[in-house]
Amino acid sequence: MSSDALVTLAIVGFLALVIGLSALGFWNMYWRLPTFDEYRRRHPGLVKNGPLRCNRCAGGRVFLYHLTEHHRRHLCATCGAALYRS
Protein backbone atom coordinates (compact mmCIF):
# COMPACT_ATOMS: atom_id res chain seq x y z
CA MET A 1 0.00 0.00 0.00
CA SER A 2 1.21 3.46 -0.77
CA SER A 3 1.58 6.11 1.91
CA ASP A 4 -1.30 8.12 0.38
CA ALA A 5 -3.61 5.12 0.71
CA LEU A 6 -2.55 4.61 4.33
CA VAL A 7 -3.21 8.28 5.17
CA THR A 8 -6.63 8.09 3.53
CA LEU A 9 -7.42 4.88 5.40
CA ALA A 10 -6.34 6.47 8.69
CA ILE A 11 -8.52 9.55 8.08
CA VAL A 12 -11.55 7.42 7.18
CA GLY A 13 -11.00 5.25 10.26
CA PHE A 14 -10.69 8.30 12.50
CA LEU A 15 -13.90 9.82 11.09
CA ALA A 16 -15.74 6.53 11.61
CA LEU A 17 -14.54 6.44 15.21
CA VAL A 18 -15.68 10.02 15.86
CA ILE A 19 -19.10 9.41 14.32
CA GLY A 20 -19.51 6.17 16.27
CA LEU A 21 -18.59 7.80 19.57
CA SER A 22 -20.96 10.71 18.88
CA ALA A 23 -23.82 8.30 18.19
CA LEU A 24 -23.00 6.37 21.36
CA GLY A 25 -22.99 9.59 23.38
CA PHE A 26 -26.36 10.62 21.96
CA TRP A 27 -27.79 7.20 22.76
CA ASN A 28 -26.44 7.45 26.29
CA MET A 29 -27.93 10.93 26.81
CA TYR A 30 -31.32 10.29 25.22
CA TRP A 31 -32.44 6.74 24.50
CA ARG A 32 -31.48 5.28 27.89
CA LEU A 33 -33.97 7.62 29.60
CA PRO A 34 -37.59 6.54 30.06
CA THR A 35 -40.45 8.28 28.29
CA PHE A 36 -42.90 10.26 30.42
CA ASP A 37 -45.33 7.32 30.54
CA GLU A 38 -42.53 4.97 31.65
CA TYR A 39 -41.41 7.50 34.29
CA ARG A 40 -44.99 7.75 35.57
CA ARG A 41 -45.28 3.93 35.79
CA ARG A 42 -41.94 3.62 37.62
CA HIS A 43 -42.66 6.45 40.08
CA PRO A 44 -46.44 6.66 40.56
CA GLY A 45 -46.15 8.57 43.84
CA LEU A 46 -44.10 11.33 42.20
CA VAL A 47 -46.44 12.02 39.29
CA LYS A 48 -49.88 13.09 40.43
CA ASN A 49 -52.58 15.47 39.16
CA GLY A 50 -50.19 18.41 39.35
CA PRO A 51 -46.50 18.79 38.71
CA LEU A 52 -44.20 15.81 38.87
CA ARG A 53 -41.32 15.37 41.31
CA CYS A 54 -37.74 14.22 40.89
CA ASN A 55 -37.08 10.58 41.82
CA ARG A 56 -33.75 11.54 43.45
CA CYS A 57 -34.41 14.69 45.48
CA ALA A 58 -38.22 15.13 45.22
CA GLY A 59 -37.68 18.57 43.65
CA GLY A 60 -40.67 19.94 41.78
CA ARG A 61 -38.94 22.12 39.16
CA VAL A 62 -38.19 20.52 35.80
CA PHE A 63 -36.55 22.16 32.80
CA LEU A 64 -35.96 21.08 29.22
CA TYR A 65 -32.59 20.47 27.64
CA HIS A 66 -32.89 20.41 23.85
CA LEU A 67 -30.58 17.87 22.23
CA THR A 68 -32.03 18.32 18.75
CA GLU A 69 -35.17 19.87 17.32
CA HIS A 70 -37.19 16.76 18.20
CA HIS A 71 -35.24 15.22 21.10
CA ARG A 72 -35.36 16.69 24.60
CA ARG A 73 -34.32 15.62 28.08
CA HIS A 74 -36.33 16.73 31.10
CA LEU A 75 -33.98 17.54 33.98
CA CYS A 76 -34.51 18.30 37.65
CA ALA A 77 -33.65 21.97 38.30
CA THR A 78 -32.68 21.19 41.90
CA CYS A 79 -30.22 18.28 41.57
CA GLY A 80 -29.69 18.08 37.78
CA ALA A 81 -30.87 14.47 37.43
CA ALA A 82 -32.15 13.46 33.98
CA LEU A 83 -35.74 12.34 34.54
CA TYR A 84 -37.23 11.37 31.18
CA ARG A 85 -37.07 12.06 27.44
CA SER A 86 -39.53 13.48 24.96
Side-chain angles (χ1 to χ4, degrees):
M1 251 186 190
S2 70
S3 63
D4 289 342
L6 288 174
V7 169
T8 302
L9 185 61
I11 290 171
V12 169
F14 177 74
L15 290 175
L17 178 65
V18 168
I19 291 169
L21 290 175
S22 295
L24 181 62
F26 182 79
W27 179 87
N28 194 30
M29 285 188 350
Y30 183 76
W31 292 106
R32 71 177 176 84
L33 292 174
T35 63
F36 177 74
D37 290 333
E38 292 167 343
Y39 186 84
R40 183 175 35 186
R41 269 195 306 276
R42 290 180 190 175
H43 311 287
L46 299 174
V47 181
K48 297 198 177 183
N49 293 335
L52 67 94
R53 298 217 159 288
C54 174
N55 62 332
R56 285 193 188 165
C57 73
R61 291 180 37 225
V62 176
F63 68 95
L64 289 174
Y65 179 78
H66 293 268
L67 297 170
T68 67
E69 184 178 342
H70 302 289
H71 297 92
R72 292 170 293 281
R73 292 190 315 162
H74 297 255
L75 306 171
C76 174
T78 305
C79 71
L83 304 177
Y84 61 93
R85 63 183 160 98
S86 64

